[in-house]
DNA sequence: TTGACATATCTAGAATTATAGATATAATAG
DNA sequence: CTATTATATCTATAATTCTAGATATGTCAA
């Protein structure tokens, strides 16, 4: 019981991961210009590549990749790959669902 | 930054603690009758003593005490002592504040 | 006061999570 | 194909959290 909820709480229980999630609310403000590698027409909007997130967070490459995986598995982020680059962005639908669940059931 | 938020997420990242918090939404339904030790007039309503929570959760006494302390320090519970008994209940004001913060800032 | 009970705190080992570095994979350029 | 770059996964150690058992504290009853 509550496995999914707890997975989300655990994902949010780390300052770096929480910061990443909040930075991604305003990628344009918090990261260098993105999407250079995303083809026209297939815009995975407001997404940021792993390297930019790693740099901003000041963590190693393997930790960045791992943290983003944790956030994605918890349903807080989603990703798309373009060439060598993996872009991540917030999964706003899931985040909203989760926040609403908190209001109702916490 | 985010220390308080993270303290709450950590407190919620454990199934037993999460269950305790939810059981305390309906103490009358989930626990034996309480308040036998609370004097008339000074009713700390909808509160449950440590022993009842420990029993329901199926955990040791020291873990029960510790978990309740974690939930209280995170601001999710509040307590009052009557004689030998410590009663805990939800801190609804803080829980509401937290849930609203999630909606706005997560 | 003494003894019994409810709860809190301490202590130590087990389990989980964090983290860096090494290696693997996948894509691109040449 | 080979070299390079971006990211993912693996491995091992450090740090944190979990948990039970032992001990301490506070309260009541005799």
């Amino acid at each position: 019981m509550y496995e999914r909820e707890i997975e989300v709480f655990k994902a949010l229980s780390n300052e770096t991961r929480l910061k990443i999630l909040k930075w991604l609310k305003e990628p344009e403000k918090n990261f260098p210009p993105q999407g250079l590698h995303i083809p026209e027409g297939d815009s995975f909007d407001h997404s940021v590549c792993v390297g930019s997130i790693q740099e901003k967070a000041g963590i190693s490459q393997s930790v960045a990749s791992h943290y983003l995986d944790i956030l994605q598995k918890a349903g807080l982020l989603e990703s798309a790959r373009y060439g060598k680059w993996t872009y991540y962005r917030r999964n706003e639908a899931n985040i909203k669902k989760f926040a609403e669940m908190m209001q109702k059931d916490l």
Side-chain angles (χ1 to χ4, degrees), chain A:
Chain A
M1 214 191 307
Y2 301 133
E3 292 83 6
R4 289 291 294 148
E5 261 179 275
I6 286 174
E7 190 179 6
V8 178
F9 288 132
K10 283 187 179 172
L12 296 170
S13 292
N14 173 288
E15 176 149 10
T16 302
R17 288 194 296 263
L18 193 54
K19 280 181 181 169
I20 291 170
L21 190 65
K22 300 205 179 192
W23 287 332
L24 287 173
K25 292 175 81 172
E26 299 177 285
E28 303 75 13
K29 182 180 147 196
N30 293 304
F31 298 97
Q34 300 286 320
L36 301 175
H37 318 287
I38 301 181
E40 288 292 329
D42 182 10
S43 69
F44 189 63
D45 267 358
H46 305 296
S47 63
V48 179
C49 72
V50 179
S52 295
I53 295 170
Q54 171 195 345
E55 189 174 7
K56 171 99 180 176
I59 55 183
S60 74
Q61 185 271 320
S62 64
V63 170
S65 180
H66 185 211
Y67 278 3
L68 292 167
D69 188 49
I70 288 172
L71 288 165
Q72 179 165 43
K73 281 184 174 141
L76 297 163
L77 296 184
E78 55 192 351
S79 69
R81 182 155 199 169
Y82 294 97
K84 314 190 240 195
W85 292 268
T86 304
Y87 283 79
Y88 284 88
R89 69 176 178 193
R90 289 163 58 94
N91 185 330
E92 295 291 0
N94 275 349
I95 291 172
K96 186 156 179 273
K97 258 191 246 168
F98 178 72
E100 280 166 1
M101 214 244 286
M102 301 257 65
Q103 288 270 22
K104 260 196 277 187
D105 300 333
L106 187 62

